[in-house]
Amino acid sequence: TTSLRFQVSIVDDACIRAVNALHPQNIDDFFLREEFLWVRQNSNPLAFFASNGLTATVEFLKRGLRPCLDALLPSQFLNFRSLDIRSDEFQHFTGSDHPIEHNPQLGLHGIRHLLRHPDFLRAELTAVHDLRAEGYTSILLSLPFLTFADELVAVNAIRTASQLHDVPLGVFIETPASIYELRAILDNCPAAIYVGTKDLTQFLLACDRSNPAVASIFSMTSR
């Protein structure tokens, strides 16, 4: 129906153009995971930051995001999901020395990893801030794998300390705990709430979807 609205997951601006060439009327926004920008040049984001610094990282992100923003129609916006790479996924990057955790799905990734690297998080916020200053206001930075409202409070503190108040923040609800924290999360005024059904499903079912021994249990339509 015409009242049904969609968000489409993409890997680059070509996806946006292809979707909009087919049927853009019901597409409100597009969803881009930051790691796709880094995979494209086989660059470990944290190693890149350590070697090149904040300014170069900000410029890298802006170069990757501008073509996507240019491809949007006036009524559409881009949901740019902050870095969320699990320890086993870091091995896809050349020269990565990240140790693989015993259970990466439950490990150090998403916002819990970013808060250990606040300067990298500041680079993400700055990139979005700069693009908005250039006139690309149809972009939102969303925070992955949020568990506690305190994590959003911590990001807001970094945003305030860096004078990046204009960057709208969305949050991904992907753990059962974050559902119980939702009222406190909403008290911190996120610009958008997204539900990550894959992670939420596997945690509700106590099933690691990346483990072949139990992956058959994983079903988002399970009773």
Side-chain angles (χ1 to χ4, degrees), residues 55-127:
T55 299
T57 304
V58 169
E59 291 304 317
F60 172 86
L61 293 173
K62 290 194 293 185
R63 284 196 303 273
L65 289 168
R66 277 195 198 95
C68 294
L69 293 165
D70 284 333
L72 296 176
L73 297 177
S75 61
Q76 297 171 339
F77 76 96
L78 183 68
N79 169 13
F80 179 48
R81 176 176 161 116
S82 190
L83 193 68
D84 186 16
I85 303 179
R86 291 162 174 80
S87 59
D88 55 334
E89 295 172 334
F90 268 110
Q91 307 311 304
H92 301 318
F93 297 112
T94 299
S96 178
D97 59 355
H98 280 71
I100 299 178
E101 298 162 310
H102 290 298
N103 192 329
Q105 300 283 353
L106 293 172
L108 189 63
H109 65 90
I111 192 58
R112 57 181 64 168
H113 196 193
L114 287 163
L115 287 174
R116 293 196 178 192
H117 299 274
D119 287 339
F120 188 90
L121 179 56
R122 190 173 291 108
E124 296 175 328
L125 290 163
T126 302

Side-chain angles (χ1 to χ4, degrees), residues 148-220:
F148 303 112
D150 287 350
E151 293 165 331
L152 179 56
V153 171
V155 176
N156 278 330
I158 293 171
R159 183 176 60 165
T160 299
S162 305
Q163 297 185 342
L164 301 170
H165 313 83
D166 68 313
V167 177
L169 293 175
V171 298
F172 270 85
I173 302 300
E174 298 174 281
T175 68
S178 63
I179 295 174
Y180 288 99
E181 286 274 299
L182 190 54
R183 183 177 296 277
I185 290 170
L186 290 172
D187 286 343
N188 286 277
C189 303
I193 296 281
Y194 302 100
V195 178
T197 52
K198 287 194 298 184
D199 276 342
L200 188 55
T201 297
Q202 77 171 343
F203 297 138
L204 287 170
L205 297 176
C207 163
D208 180 353
R209 68 180 187 271
S210 65
N211 182 346
V214 296
S216 61
I217 300 171
F218 179 81
S219 170
M220 287 186 282

Side-chain angles (χ1 to χ4, degrees), residues 4-25:
L4 190 63
R5 315 302 299 176
F6 295 96
Q7 179 182 91
V8 177
S9 181
I10 59 163
V11 298
D12 57 22
D13 58 294
C15 295
I16 297 178
R17 298 182 196 281
V19 168
N20 281 339
L22 291 173
H23 191 73
Q25 288 80 2

